Amino acid sequence: MAESVRVESLEPLTGLQAELWKFQAAVNAALSDADSELRRTLMWLELEQEPYWKDQITKREVTVARAKDALRMKTMFKDVSGRSPSAIEEQKALQLAQLRLTEAQQKLTQVHRWIPALQKEVQSYRGAAQHLASSVESLVPAGVLHLKRLIADIEAYAALAIAAETGGNSSVPPSVGVPSAGTMARGTPMEHVDAPAGVAENWTIPTADQRRNASVISELSWSGPALNADAITKLTALTEKEPDPDPQLKITIAPGVRVATFLCSTRLEPVFDQDSGWCIGAPTAAPERWESISLADWLRCNPDFKAVLKLPVGFSVILDKDGWLEISDPLGKRVGRDAK
């Protein structure tokens, strides 16, 4: 028997997309806080505790020496009756000074033991944390994309039902599975625009390690798509309140975008200090290597791209040879030729 599902509202699916982005942001914030706390603790041990206890040992050694001198002086001389005076107070002072010196020596020993131990734990933690960060960076966008395409399929199926009731004719787009972490499709279903099949499905985005290790270039010979006037107008209106990006931030690009007919780009969460999050590719096979270029150098050959680069994390843009195809926000809302 064929199974069926009753769908009364798409709002939960749309809301889930937003929650996935929030989850990604929360994970990144938690990992950043944990890493900062580890660095603070290590610096506290190395830069504060180690010199502090070394200084205390020096000072307490002086105190012990003075206490010994006081005790010796007290026991060397006798009073008028020929008896040695009581040295109980001096003995107590010496014992206290020796205890405090021993405490400082033990503290320094503990600091020296914990510094390498903590360094080792920090390295172990960072390896596991990076694995989690990379997984979230890949799987959350993949999950959001799957939800976007699922919503589009449901909407198309609903349109088919309406067309059947009214005697119209329509077709249901093929179902789309969850993309893999390394080959996630970008954009939304391509039936909305006149684009060849596979443009969005066949391009890849770089992994976190590929973005970190991308070859840095400063010049780019460009003959790929350029934004047309309509695209510039819409993007400028969309990003007019967004701040200008730091021109020193990096874009990760595939070498094939230089001469591509279609250009696919998306903004992910940054993975290093100079990472803008923007990844730009073309519908080609996964490149063996990626390149990175500063926003300033990119804008020298693509000055109209400034409005695109102001889009926040989660936005995707696809350009065709005419300079405008589609833009999608983090919730899957489309703005393009067919959007109203």
Side-chain angles (χ1 to χ4, degrees):
M1 177 183 294
E3 296 183 356
S4 62
V5 177
R6 181 183 180 87
V7 179
E8 298 181 351
S9 173
L10 294 177
E11 289 184 6
L13 294 178
T14 302
L16 181 56
Q17 294 178 76
E19 292 302 318
L20 284 173
W21 287 122
K22 291 179 182 178
F23 170 73
Q24 183 183 44
V27 169
N28 290 335
L31 291 176
S32 177
D33 289 344
D35 190 69
S36 296
E37 187 64 29
L38 286 172
R39 286 200 305 269
R40 284 195 295 269
T41 302
L42 192 55
M43 291 176 64
W44 176 73
L45 285 172
E46 294 175 337
L47 303 181
E48 295 184 29
Q49 291 300 293
E50 185 176 28
Y52 172 79
W53 288 113
K54 285 182 177 179
D55 182 62
Q56 286 295 307
I57 288 174
T58 300
K59 291 179 178 179
R60 296 182 188 192
E61 285 175 341
V62 172
T63 302
V64 169
R66 289 175 177 173
K68 287 181 178 179
D69 288 341
L71 179 59
R72 185 174 64 255
M73 294 296 293
K74 196 66 175 286
T75 57
M76 283 178 60
F77 301 98
K78 299 181 180 180
D79 58 18
V80 294
S81 63
R83 292 178 299 178
S84 298
S86 173
I88 294 178
E89 294 300 324
E90 286 74 13
Q91 289 174 342
K92 289 182 178 179
L94 176 58
Q95 289 175 350
L96 179 59
Q98 289 174 328
L99 285 174
R100 297 189 72 242
L101 174 59
T102 300
E103 176 197 33
Q105 292 169 336
Q106 290 174 344
K107 292 287 188 180
L108 183 61
T109 298
Q110 290 296 318
V111 169
H112 286 162
R113 182 172 71 87
W114 278 109
I115 287 175
L118 182 57
Q119 289 173 336
K120 182 178 178 180
E121 291 300 322
V122 167
Q123 292 301 319
S124 176
Y125 161 79
R126 284 177 176 166
Q130 183 56 53
H131 178 72
L132 173 60
S134 298
S135 297
V136 171
E137 179 195 9
S138 298
L139 296 178
V140 167
V144 171
L145 176 63
H146 179 60
L147 290 172
K148 289 165 63 177
R149 297 174 70 85
L150 180 60
I151 290 171
D153 282 356
I154 293 174
E155 289 174 340
Y157 187 83
L160 174 66
I162 294 173
E165 292 177 0
T166 58
N169 186 22
S170 182
S171 61
V172 180
S175 59
V176 181
V178 179
S180 66
T183 57
M184 292 181 287
R186 293 291 162 187
T188 48
M190 300 305 293
E191 69 273 7
H192 293 278
V193 293
D194 297 326
V199 166
E201 288 78 0
N202 293 335
W203 82 287
T204 60
I205 63 171
T207 65
D209 286 340
Q210 287 173 327
R211 288 158 67 186
R212 290 190 188 91
N213 300 322
S215 302
V216 179
I217 60 175
S218 58
E219 295 183 0
L220 183 67
S221 176
W222 182 258
S223 60
L227 291 165
N228 63 26
D230 181 45
I232 295 173
T233 299
K234 288 187 177 181
L235 285 165
T236 300
L238 185 65
T239 62
E240 60 182 351
K241 295 183 180 180
E242 296 292 333
D244 290 338
D246 182 348
Q248 299 306 312
L249 294 179
K250 304 291 186 183
I251 304 176
T252 305
I253 62 174
V257 302
R258 289 175 169 83
V259 294
T261 303
F262 284 81
L263 188 68
C264 311
S265 57
T266 191
R267 191 171 192 181
L268 306 175
E269 288 287 349
V271 294
F272 57 93
D273 289 342
Q274 290 188 311
D275 185 17
S276 70
W278 277 109
C279 302
I280 300 179
T284 59
E288 295 181 0
R289 62 183 179 85
W290 290 81
E291 298 174 335
S292 70
I293 188 170
S294 70
L295 302 192
D297 291 331
W298 173 267
L299 290 174
R300 286 193 185 96
C301 62
N302 295 282
D304 294 334
F305 237 79
K306 184 175 181 180
V308 174
L309 299 179
K310 293 170 68 174
L311 290 170
V313 170
F315 276 77
S316 298
V317 176
I318 301 177
L319 296 181
D320 65 359
K321 56 184 174 55
D322 297 323
W324 179 246
L325 190 60
E326 187 171 279
I327 176 173
S328 301
D329 69 12
L331 297 181
K333 181 180 178 181
R334 293 184 295 273
V335 180
R337 292 193 188 124
D338 302 329
K340 305 298 183 183

